[in-house]
Amino acid sequence: MSFQPAVLEGVLERVTYANEETGYTVARVAPSRRKDAGHGGDLLTVVGSLLGAQPGESLRMEGRWGSHPQYGRQFTVENYTTVLPATVQGIRRYLGSGLIKGIGPRIAERIVDHFGTDTLDVIEEDAGRLIEVPGLGPKRTKKIAAAWEEQKAIKEVMVFLQGVGVSTSIAVRIYKKYGDGSIGVVRDHPYRLAADVWGIGFLTADRIAQAVGIPHDSPERVKAGLQYALSQSADQGHCFLPEEKLIADAVKLLQVDTGLVIECLDELAGEEEGVVRERGPHPESPEDALTAVYLLPFHRAERSLAGRLRRLLATPEDRLPAFADVDWERALAWLARRTGADLAPEQRDAVRLALTRRVAVLTGGPGCGKSFTVRSVVELARAKGASVLLAAPTGRAAKRLAELTGVEASTVHRLLELKPGGDAAYDQERPLDADLIVVDEASMLDLLLANKLVKAVPPGAHLLLVGDVDQLPSVGAGEVLRDLLAEGGPVPAVRLTRIFRQAQQSGVVTNAHRINAGAPPLVQGMSDFFLFVEEDTEAAGRLTVDVAARRIPAKFGLDPRRDIQVLAPMHRGPAGAGALNGLLQQEITPGRPNLPEKRFGGRVFRVGDKVTQIRNNYEKGAAGVFNGTVGVVTALSQEEQTLTVRTDEDEEIEYDFDELDELAHAYAVTIHRSQGSEYPAVVIPVTTGAWMMLQRNLLYTAVTRAKRLVVLVGSRRALGQAVRTVSAGRRHTMLDHRLRAVGAEA
């Protein structure tokens, strides 16, 4: 390895790898000087932090030459500056690289043909002259000028942020949030970033704070750390943390004295937008008490949800008065003639409950007739002229509910018309206009969404929540369905337990119930449930890909993109969703010379890719795009720097290239992310590599996502572990306690 400092100048041709978190990049460069060129004048490999550099830019890089045993001669970059190209060819490449929004290769050629080596000076000093170029109207000209200015401003912010170790994608987001004030915020209030900018957690903000000289024991740092520990626990499903646990977590995270953490927690509890401390029963021993510490939104939502449910249950108003004194024998006989089937006794109980009580819960596993019961409730309500609204947490579940009942259904987000910031158009001031509201897949309702939903239910309307309480709880904080079903609570419920004969013939249904009861699934002689044994985790990952991309399509004629979903217990590891997505993309949507693609961070997006949205974005589409929405990439424009996705809800959504961190590939998803969705076939890698994640409700949830076919791939030992292991511990929530408490508040 050479230790002599050196300078390399050249044009960045392509980025072959980039780590969004660290900024570490592997790229290919066409050197300006002949003596630097590779063998036969080939491109050179450069490695290091090339934060913010874009293909097509001319760079002056300082660093050192070295040699890699596998990749040969390469240049390690320590820092770089952008040099505007001076030749016509260089300018054409630079502009045509997609760096400036609105200029693609064709437009770049026209502009450079017209202005030659003066091109960049014209854009910089007199962009209005671009209108001289054939085919460029005033609108496009204005857009190019604005994009050039923004790119220049971002460059300045980038240079500053590069010094404090911020990745490119996060730097762009900081700039979008604060504009010209970015440097001031980052330098003076770095912990604001964790609250304000999606994708920046406490750890990134803390690293920046350290780089700009904020002291390790600063109260601002400790308070931010406490709020981070609480938001991390919310990400794991908890609505609060016991005070002792929070203090211990914060001491470990921040590496400061316990006394300082206690002091800062006291201050934070006294601040208007801080945290809330409240005494409540200990979940393991209710006669003991604990001090719960909540982030404000979760405390408000929990109190509000409990209070509103109790008021809905107690209201004398009734928007379905016809069912108060109905002749149930006649009503159910009419229903049987209409649907062609009789209801089982427990289904009859559920129908009566939904139509006579203001709030009711219907739960049960697959094949027990939840769907038919829901259809019966809707049929009877509509027969009496009631207005019915149907919703589910995901687009796929809503579509299924609509097909089942013949009544239009929407996602809960769309039903409430959630707006930027998360506020709903429908709430207690402007309730939904409905006599009956049915929400399917209610196990997915987290505390915040459930509170928004219940706020919008008008007094006297009936709310029926339908879901399988044995599935995984919601991705967001809380376990609302389980809390509503808690013993001694005020919400009436029916649990369907009888598996119908038709469903007993299904291996998927049979094995779902076996798993839920702690028995191993039957894998011999089934036509719709298989186990491919492979003990080695890496080999199991490869076999999963082969099963999903080749074997199932060949045997069952299913489309690997539309009909088959790989569901992994975790994201990481050789059989995790991350690695499997890369392998499945190579099989299902491989790169081809004429197929447009865009590299972003460590991922490549191509037309035809199956993708999923990984955050709620209220600004996109007609009414927002929400975490878990799945779609297919239908278009990609280098010129406009946009990528278009057609979602499961048949909406075309456009993403700027700098928003691509909101998308992830979805050939494989984690089982948690699959909740509320249903697929013709699922393939589930069950390996010892995911040992810590293997739990009964995880495997049960994965199996119940399949309509027709389940293939397990992996080790019998791992499968046994998943079936045996009951989920450890409940989430920290006090909703069940609040529902039982007299005088629960809104």
Side-chain angles (χ1 to χ4, degrees):
M1 181 82 190
S2 158
F3 290 99
Q4 287 294 314
V7 172
L8 171 65
E9 291 186 358
V11 175
L12 181 62
E13 290 286 333
R14 66 177 178 272
V15 174
T16 52
Y17 170 79
N19 183 312
E20 292 170 59
E21 284 307 306
T22 63
Y24 178 80
T25 305
V26 179
R28 304 281 280 161
V29 166
S32 306
R33 293 181 304 208
R34 193 170 298 158
K35 75 180 186 71
D36 289 329
H39 297 299
D42 288 345
L43 301 179
L44 285 170
T45 298
V46 299
V47 298
S49 181
L50 283 170
L51 218 52
Q54 300 283 345
E57 288 187 307
S58 294
L59 307 178
R60 184 177 190 277
M61 294 161 281
E62 293 171 13
R64 298 165 199 280
W65 287 103
S67 185
H68 187 280
Q70 192 178 343
Y71 303 112
R73 186 174 181 240
Q74 61 183 36
F75 188 80
T76 300
V77 181
E78 281 157 15
N79 56 61
Y80 79 91
T81 51
T82 305
V83 184
L84 289 176
T87 65
V88 164
Q89 191 183 356
I91 293 168
R92 187 181 290 125
R93 284 196 58 76
Y94 175 66
L95 284 182
S97 67
L99 179 71
I100 311 297
K101 202 167 182 179
I103 304 183
R106 287 199 324 278
I107 300 283
E109 200 154 324
R110 281 193 228 153
I111 295 172
V112 178
D113 283 351
H114 190 80
F115 295 113
T117 51
D118 295 336
T119 296
L120 299 181
D121 292 335
V122 168
I123 298 175
E124 171 79 37
E125 289 156 23
D126 190 7
R129 284 190 59 200
L130 287 171
I131 205 159
E132 297 170 18
V133 177
L136 282 193
K139 201 172 168 189
R140 175 72 66 92
T141 300
K142 209 169 173 184
K143 194 173 171 185
I144 291 170
W148 178 267
E149 285 305 315
E150 184 183 23
Q151 187 250 344
K152 253 178 35 188
I154 287 177
K155 271 283 186 289
E156 278 173 40
V157 174
M158 288 285 188
V159 170
F160 170 75
L161 293 174
Q162 189 171 5
V164 293
V166 178
S167 75
T168 315
S169 61
I170 284 176
V172 168
R173 244 179 281 142
I174 290 172
Y175 181 79
K176 276 190 159 181
K177 178 74 184 172
Y178 305 115
D180 296 339
S182 300
I183 292 172
V185 171
V186 171
R187 194 174 43 224
D188 303 332
H189 306 287
Y191 291 105
R192 262 183 65 190
L193 301 174
D196 291 355
V197 183
W198 182 76
I200 298 187
F202 172 79
L203 299 179
T204 306
D206 199 35
R207 206 171 62 229
I208 295 168
Q210 210 177 336
V212 298
I214 302 252
H216 187 71
D217 59 357
S218 137
E220 187 190 359
R221 177 174 184 265
V222 177
K223 287 179 193 175
L226 281 161
Q227 287 177 309
Y228 171 70
L230 284 172
S231 69
Q232 282 291 94
S233 76
D235 289 346
Q236 288 155 15
H238 300 298
C239 299
F240 67 83
L241 274 183
E243 189 173 39
E244 297 79 6
K245 169 104 172 89
L246 172 61
I247 291 166
D249 286 357
V251 168
K252 191 174 165 190
L253 169 76
L254 299 163
Q255 299 290 296
V256 294
D257 290 343
T258 306
L260 178 60
V261 171
I262 292 170
E263 213 175 285
C264 288
L265 180 56
D266 283 344
E267 281 181 34
L268 204 51
E271 289 175 11
E272 205 174 305
E273 290 301 310
V275 299
V276 177
R277 287 194 288 205
E278 185 182 347
R279 297 290 282 170
H282 198 286
E284 267 91 65
S285 50
E287 61 279 1
D288 297 328
L290 58 72
T291 299
V293 186
Y294 286 85
L295 287 171
L296 210 57
F298 296 103
H299 186 256
R300 282 182 185 147
E302 202 175 78
R303 286 178 57 174
S304 165
L305 177 58
R308 285 177 189 289
L309 283 168
R310 288 169 64 90
R311 279 209 296 282
L312 285 174
L313 283 162
T315 184
E317 288 178 59
D318 191 354
R319 292 184 60 148
L320 291 178
F323 293 99
D325 50 8
V326 76
D327 179 337
W328 282 103
E329 287 308 315
R330 277 185 63 195
L332 294 172
W334 173 87
L335 186 66
R337 287 195 300 278
R338 185 159 171 86
T339 58
D342 278 317
L343 290 168
E346 54 190 15
Q347 289 178 307
R348 289 171 164 235
D349 292 345
V351 169
R352 290 179 69 153
L353 206 60
L355 295 170
T356 57
R357 300 295 296 271
R358 309 300 180 273
V359 183
V361 174
L362 171 63
T363 189
C368 292
K370 283 199 309 293
S371 298
F372 187 66
T373 307
V374 169
R375 184 183 154 196
S376 301
V377 169
V378 171
E379 288 272 6
L380 279 171
R382 293 185 80 205
K384 294 289 186 186
S387 72
V388 179
L389 286 177
L390 304 180
T394 66
R396 282 187 173 215
K399 211 177 244 185
R400 198 173 65 237
L401 187 58
E403 285 163 7
L404 166 78
T405 57
V407 178
E408 199 180 318
S410 71
T411 62
V412 177
H413 291 92
R414 289 188 194 282
L415 179 74
L416 301 176
E417 292 181 16
L418 288 188
K419 297 179 294 197
D423 291 329
Y426 291 95
D427 56 17
Q428 69 270 31
E429 306 301 324
R430 185 194 174 201
L432 294 160
D433 183 16
D435 304 319
L436 170 67
I437 298 167
V438 180
V439 181
D440 199 6
E441 294 289 356
S443 62
M444 290 182 69
L445 286 177
D446 62 40
L447 174 66
L448 299 182
L449 187 57
N451 180 46
K452 287 187 171 80
L453 171 71
V454 171
K455 266 185 185 175
V457 177
H462 291 226
L463 173 64
L464 174 62
L465 298 171
V466 184
D468 184 346
V469 76
D470 294 320
Q471 284 181 28
L472 288 167
S474 56
V475 174
E479 37 190 4
V480 173
L481 192 64
R482 186 162 288 151
D483 283 340
L484 296 187
L485 288 164
E487 214 171 308
V491 179
V494 170
R495 183 173 192 135
L496 303 179
T497 54
R498 177 187 148 194
I499 306 171
F500 285 88
R501 192 179 305 128
Q502 192 183 345
Q504 287 171 4
Q505 293 158 11
S506 156
V508 175
V509 171
T510 301
N511 281 329
H513 285 277
R514 285 181 66 87
I515 290 164
N516 201 28
L522 304 169
V523 293
Q524 298 297 321
M526 292 277 180
S527 62
D528 62 351
F529 201 103
F530 302 88
L531 169 65
F532 286 74
V533 177
E534 177 50 75
E535 295 300 325
D536 178 71
T537 299
E538 206 161 313
R542 290 194 298 272
L543 180 54
T544 298
V545 171
D546 190 42
V547 166
R550 293 199 196 91
R551 298 194 193 189
I552 293 177
K555 185 172 170 62
F556 295 95
L558 296 174
D559 181 295
R561 193 185 282 109
R562 190 185 60 240
D563 301 328
I564 303 165
Q565 184 63 55
V566 173
L567 300 179
M570 57 195 284
H571 186 76
R572 294 198 174 130
L580 293 177
N581 263 318
L583 295 170
L584 285 160
Q585 185 192 33
Q586 284 170 29
E587 291 296 327
I588 297 167
T589 318
R592 296 196 305 273
N594 61 343
L595 186 69
E597 63 176 46
K598 167 66 183 171
R599 183 173 292 278
F600 185 89
R603 299 196 286 267
V604 179
F605 291 99
R606 299 189 180 113
V607 169
D609 267 340
K610 183 178 183 178
V611 292
T612 179
Q613 172 83 9
I614 57 173
R615 66 173 287 225
N616 286 346
N617 187 332
Y618 299 96
E619 317 268 339
K620 284 210 161 300
V625 184
F626 300 99
N627 189 352
T629 300
V630 174
V632 173
V633 178
T634 53
L636 197 157
S637 165
Q638 293 289 355
E639 192 167 296
E640 294 299 324
Q641 293 185 44
T642 56
L643 176 149
T644 307
V645 174
R646 175 172 281 281
T647 71
D648 269 354
E649 295 173 52
D650 291 329
E651 188 179 5
E652 296 270 346
I653 306 289
E654 204 170 81
Y655 293 81
D656 287 343
F657 281 172
D658 60 19
E659 296 175 314
L660 293 184
D661 50 0
E662 294 191 16
L663 288 177
H665 290 101
Y667 300 101
V669 298
T670 61
I671 295 166
H672 282 88
R673 290 193 68 81
S674 73
Q675 286 170 263
S677 292
E678 206 179 53
Y679 316 95
V682 301
V683 184
I684 310 163
V686 185
T687 66
T688 52
W691 194 258
M692 298 307 290
M693 292 294 293
L694 296 175
Q695 292 175 356
R696 188 181 298 169
N697 62 351
L698 188 85
L699 182 60
Y700 174 74
T701 300
V703 168
T704 55
R705 300 305 88 214
K707 279 194 282 197
R708 288 163 50 191
L709 175 69
V710 171
V711 181
L712 305 176
V713 179
S715 105
R716 290 186 188 277
R717 186 166 154 253
L719 181 57
Q721 167 73 0
V723 171
R724 278 191 310 275
T725 309
V726 178
S727 171
R730 291 283 305 272
R731 293 177 166 190
H732 293 303
T733 147
M734 283 206 278
L735 179 62
D736 57 342
H737 163 68
R738 292 182 200 280
L739 282 167
R740 285 193 297 268
V742 177
E745 296 170 59

